[in-house]
Amino acid sequence: MTGQLPPDFDVDYQLTRLVRQVRARSLRNLATIHDDLDYSTFVLLLAIVDATTSSGGVRASDLADSLHVHKSTVSRAVRMLEDAGLVDRTPHPEDGRAHVLRASAEAVRRVDAYREDSHAALARVIEDWEPTELRTFAQLLARLNDAFSPE
């Protein structure tokens, strides 16, 4: 599909609307995790929490690479997260020059509660959708995400 499409057929327009709404809702609720949290630091915290629960932590350089941000951006955010007691930095067991970032137990608890509230809010928004609509939407969204993912 190329050319001008009406807004209800313009996927890029609809995705932009969705991202803006999700970001706005997130910004309104960041204080439930920490009062000083901004959106970009929040995104880094989510990645650190996920890495902590799945593999025990993440190196700052790997985090920067996976999120496509500069290492200095990660460094500043990690410093704020450490000061807030949400992230710990420990020496990497095999590379003395590197550190492993791990979310604190309190950070994991707060992020889990945030996600639970977020999932409940989404459930309320789509509560009147038919199961086939939800299944189709999830399948198409997964297909879109997979198409964006590098191989």
Side-chain angles (χ1 to χ4, degrees), residues 109-124:
R109 187 193 66 72
R110 290 180 187 189
V111 166
D112 285 349
Y114 172 91
R115 285 177 165 161
E116 193 173 306
D117 290 346
S118 181
H119 294 164
L122 178 59
R124 287 189 298 275

Side-chain angles (χ1 to χ4, degrees), residues 4-19:
Q4 289 290 74
L5 297 171
D8 55 333
F9 286 91
D10 186 341
V11 174
D12 189 54
Y13 172 78
Q14 295 300 335
L15 285 172
T16 300
R17 282 185 64 209
L18 177 63
V19 169

Side-chain angles (χ1 to χ4, degrees), residues 32-104:
T32 62
I33 297 173
H34 193 276
D35 289 335
D36 297 331
L37 204 56
D38 64 25
Y39 189 76
S40 60
T41 306
F42 166 69
V43 171
L44 289 167
L45 177 61
L46 292 180
I48 295 169
V49 166
D50 291 344
T52 299
T53 57
S54 68
S55 61
V58 63
R59 290 168 31 143
S61 59
D62 293 338
L63 187 60
D65 289 345
S66 70
L67 296 174
H68 308 288
V69 296
H70 195 272
K71 291 175 187 174
S72 64
T73 301
V74 171
S75 182
R76 281 190 300 276
V78 167
R79 213 172 7 260
M80 178 269 160
L81 293 168
E82 283 181 299
D83 291 347
L86 299 172
V87 169
D88 300 314
R89 181 192 320 234
T90 58
H92 192 283
E94 294 142 16
D95 182 355
R97 300 167 297 161
H99 289 87
V100 176
L101 305 173
R102 291 184 180 87
S104 68

